[in-house]
């Protein structure tokens, strides 16, 4: 304060944490501070998007005629995407902006986590050895969960704002529990830290399982016996002082790699590949849109779009005649209902594709005025991306337009074959359905009706065969064979019949055909299995479909930390 030419004390400070109707309090604080020369701290302004225009006007109002000591400090969480940038331009232009860049890599994150404590912290607990060991493990846990987000959906299904506040509060909980108990309450600590301190941020059940598994691996009785490896080649350190722990990190921590997170090196390859694709696509989108063909060019933008448009219209087949299909169905079995529902959804999509393409064709000929929707469609066709109006009626996909359209035609062909006589295909292409859950539910319904079992007491059993799609000529008597699945994070050893380590550079190896059948839940054998989530795309998260139990010789926790999942498309 004195360096800036004014004095300051705590009575001159107004600290307002926004959200939960604190906007009025903030406005009153600003008015008083502008008059008296106080400081105002407004925290978490990202939580009050609608109020920000009022704040901008209020700051503009106080920019003249206010006390010379009046200052306003504003804090906000970083926006997850450019579309989420909500701070008004007027506030940004008139502010001195300071950003706190998060450290990158396990080493920097581990040092920063340890910096949240001090030598005094390490000495304050009567159970010093236990406190130090668990606190260091907590610091490593914090560094791992914070940095794991860089691996995208294979790291976390959704990104979470873990902060050093979570770590320091967990340190306080650890101190209080050790002071109040002669034994280390491992279960209590794992629950409080994993379900409340860090788990309070987590909204996805599979991410919650991951957080819980990390804590089960890092906080357990073996840590006090000198037998705990936090990562391959990085044992939990013994009893040291504060500076000793920092030195230990520099000396003993292996070089940065996915192994430090429990992931396979392929996770980094996948992440870097996707980042590169995103960068190159952005560069492509920045190209001039009205460019004429250069020397050796293939035609103007309009000519390229027109040729693609005509080809797509020619290749797209007619809609399914629902009245004819309904008449053809002799018995509306669960499988027949799935086929009919898929045909209806496919009609909605192909109808929109044809409508929009024909409209754009007329627009390019000059017979219709070009609208913003038509221009968006034209840009998407030129940039090889799936148009937004198609995606709204489509299934989740991360493919480029060319790949997506070829996949669409394959799906239509599969449905045409299925609805030929409505008999269940010898193997079902699970990823080729808009709603794969409906097919899996139909398996349970069919078995339940046949055996007169209650549907809510049933579950699906997944057996991985040693054969491919071509090896099956007919469906099984009960259940269904499904094909077209891929594994991320590991691979399936067909000979041994269990999960095993992935091969380098094989990011998503194809699975053999799976035999899915319904069994009573109490007859399920859950020994030596990894509950593997199935997702529609590599985006994971909201594309979750089902859980298949896959056999494993190793501990299931290995595959949880590796982010192993089955995907219906890659």
């Amino acid at each position: 304060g004195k360096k800036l030419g004014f004095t300051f004390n705590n009575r001159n400070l107004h600290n307002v944490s926004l959200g939960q109707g604190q906007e009025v309090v903030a406005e009153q604080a600003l008015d008083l501070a502008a008059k008296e020369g106080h400081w105002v701290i407004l925290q978490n302004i990202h939580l009050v998007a609608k109020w920000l225009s009022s704040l901008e006007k209020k700051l503009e109002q106080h920019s003249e005629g206010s006390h010379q000591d009046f200052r306003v400090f504003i804090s906000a969480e970083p926006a997850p995407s450019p579309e989420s940038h909500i701070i008004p331009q007027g506030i940004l232009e008139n502010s001195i902006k300071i950003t706190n860049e998060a450290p990158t890599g396990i080493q920097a994150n581990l040092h920063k986590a340890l910096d949240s404590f001090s030598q005094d912290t390490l000495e304050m607990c009567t159970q010093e050895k236990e406190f130090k060991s668990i606190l260091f493990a907590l610091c490593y846990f914090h560094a791992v969960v914070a940095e794991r987000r860089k691996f995208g959906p294979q790291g976390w299904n959704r990104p979470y704002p873990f902060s050093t506040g979570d770590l320091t509060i967990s340190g306080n909980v650890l101190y209080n529990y050790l002071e109040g108990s002669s034994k280390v309450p491992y279960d209590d600590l794992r629950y409080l830290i994993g379900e409340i301190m860090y788990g309070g941020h987590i909204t996805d059940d599979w991410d919650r399982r991951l957080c819980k598994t990390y804590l089960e691996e890092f906080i357990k009785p073996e840590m006090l016996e000198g037998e705990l490896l936090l990562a391959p080649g990085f044992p939990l350190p013994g009893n040291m002082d504060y500076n000793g722990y920092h030195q230990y990190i520099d000396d003993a921590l292996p070089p940065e790699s996915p192994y430090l997170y429990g992931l396979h090196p392929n996770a980094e390859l996948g992440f870097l590949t996707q980042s590169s694709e995103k960068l190159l696509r952005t560069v492509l989108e920045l190209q001039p849109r009205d460019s004429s063909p250069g020397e050796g060019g293939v035609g103007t933008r309009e000519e390229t779009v027109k040729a693609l448009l005509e080809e797509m219209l020619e290749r797209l087949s007619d809609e399914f005649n629902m009245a004819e299909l309904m008449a053809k169905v002799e018995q509306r079995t669960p499988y027949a209902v799935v086929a009919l529902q898929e045909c209806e959804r496919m009609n909605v999509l192909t109808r929109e594709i044809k409508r929009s393409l024909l409209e754009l064709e007329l627009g390019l000929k000059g017979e219709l005025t070009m609208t913003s929707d038509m221009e968006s469609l034209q840009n998407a066709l030129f940039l090889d991306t799936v148009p937004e109006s198609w995606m709204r009626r489509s299934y989740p996909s991360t493919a480029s337009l060319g790949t997506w359209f070829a996949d669409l035609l394959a799906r239509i062909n599969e449905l045409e074959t299925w609805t030929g006589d409505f008999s269940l295909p010898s193997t079902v292409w699970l990823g080729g359905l808009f709603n794969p859950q409906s097919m899996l539910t139909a398996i349970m319904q069919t078995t339940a009706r046949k055996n007169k079992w209650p549907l809510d007491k049933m579950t699906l059993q997944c057996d991985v065969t040693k054969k491919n799609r071509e090896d099956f000529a007919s469906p099984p008597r009960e259940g269904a064979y499904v094909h077209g699945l891929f594994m991320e994070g590991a691979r399936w050893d067909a000979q041994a019949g269990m999960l095993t380590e992935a091969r380098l550079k094989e990011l998503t190896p194809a699975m053999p055909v799976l035999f899915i059948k319904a069994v009573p839940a109490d007859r399920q054998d859950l020994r030596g299995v990894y509950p593997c989530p199935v997702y529609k795309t590599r985006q994971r998260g909201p594309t979750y479909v089902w859980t298949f139990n896959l056999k494993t010789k190793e501990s299931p926790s290995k595959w949880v930390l590796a982010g192993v999942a089955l995907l219906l498309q890659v």
Side-chain angles (χ1 to χ4, degrees), residues 51 71 117 146 177 184 194 203 239 276 279 305 327 355-356 368 402 412 441 450 466 517 557:
W51 179 70
R71 298 288 185 278
F117 305 103
Y177 266 71
V184 180
T203 55
N239 197 338
S276 304
L279 173 65
V305 169
R355 184 204 63 77
S356 58
L368 274 181
I412 293 172
T441 305
K450 184 180 175 182
K466 294 186 179 181
K517 65 178 179 181
S557 61

Side-chain angles (χ1 to χ4, degrees), residues 336-496:
V337 171
V338 171
L340 290 169
Q341 288 174 345
E342 289 294 317
C343 291
E344 284 175 351
R345 292 192 65 173
M346 186 60 77
N347 280 351
V348 171
L349 175 57
T350 54
R351 199 177 298 137
E352 170 61 19
I353 293 172
K354 279 184 182 173
R355 184 204 63 77
S356 58
L357 288 177
L358 289 169
E359 185 181 64
L360 178 59
E361 189 175 38
L362 292 173
L364 293 174
K365 286 177 182 175
E367 295 176 20
L368 274 181
T369 305
M370 289 288 282
T371 63
S372 58
D373 287 344
M374 289 156 73
E375 284 181 6
S376 298
L377 175 60
Q378 183 182 4
N379 291 335
L381 295 179
F382 184 74
L383 295 170
D384 195 31
T385 59
V386 184
E388 189 185 336
S389 68
W390 301 3
M391 278 307 297
R392 282 201 303 268
R393 295 162 177 82
S394 178
Y395 36 84
S397 176
T398 56
S400 61
L401 178 59
T403 309
W404 180 88
F405 192 71
D407 178 71
L408 175 73
L409 297 178
R411 287 167 182 255
I412 293 172
N413 185 52
E414 195 83 4
L415 281 176
E416 285 172 348
T417 306
W418 190 354
T419 53
D421 59 0
F422 280 96
S423 61
L424 186 66
S426 53
T427 71
V428 178
W429 178 21
L430 197 61
L433 303 175
F434 282 84
N435 184 9
Q437 290 98 320
S438 65
M439 178 65 207
L440 297 171
T441 305
I443 294 173
M444 293 206 294
Q445 287 173 330
T446 306
T447 309
R449 289 179 187 179
K450 184 180 175 182
N451 298 315
K452 294 185 171 52
W453 291 340
L455 189 61
D456 61 341
K457 298 281 172 55
M458 296 181 68
T459 188
L460 289 180
Q461 183 174 306
C462 169
D463 295 321
V464 186
T465 70
K466 294 186 179 181
K467 299 176 182 178
N468 292 320
R469 180 187 184 183
E470 301 75 30
D471 302 325
F472 292 91
S474 60
R477 280 179 297 183
E478 271 196 4
Y481 295 123
V482 300
H483 70 273
L485 283 86
F486 304 86
M487 183 169 282
E488 187 174 39
R491 68 183 174 89
W492 184 260
D493 185 337
Q495 296 306 314

Side-chain angles (χ1 to χ4, degrees), residues 60 66 114 157 226 247 291 340 380 382 416 460:
E60 190 178 341
S66 309
L114 200 56
N157 275 349
Q247 191 61 47
S291 56
L340 290 169
F382 184 74
E416 285 172 348
L460 289 180

Side-chain angles (χ1 to χ4, degrees), residues 103-125:
T104 56
I106 281 283
Q107 187 178 37
N109 270 283
L110 190 48
H111 276 303
K112 188 183 178 188
L114 200 56
D115 285 341
S116 303
F117 305 103
S118 64
Q119 180 63 36
D120 291 340
T121 313
L122 297 182
E123 293 172 354
M124 69 183 187
C125 185

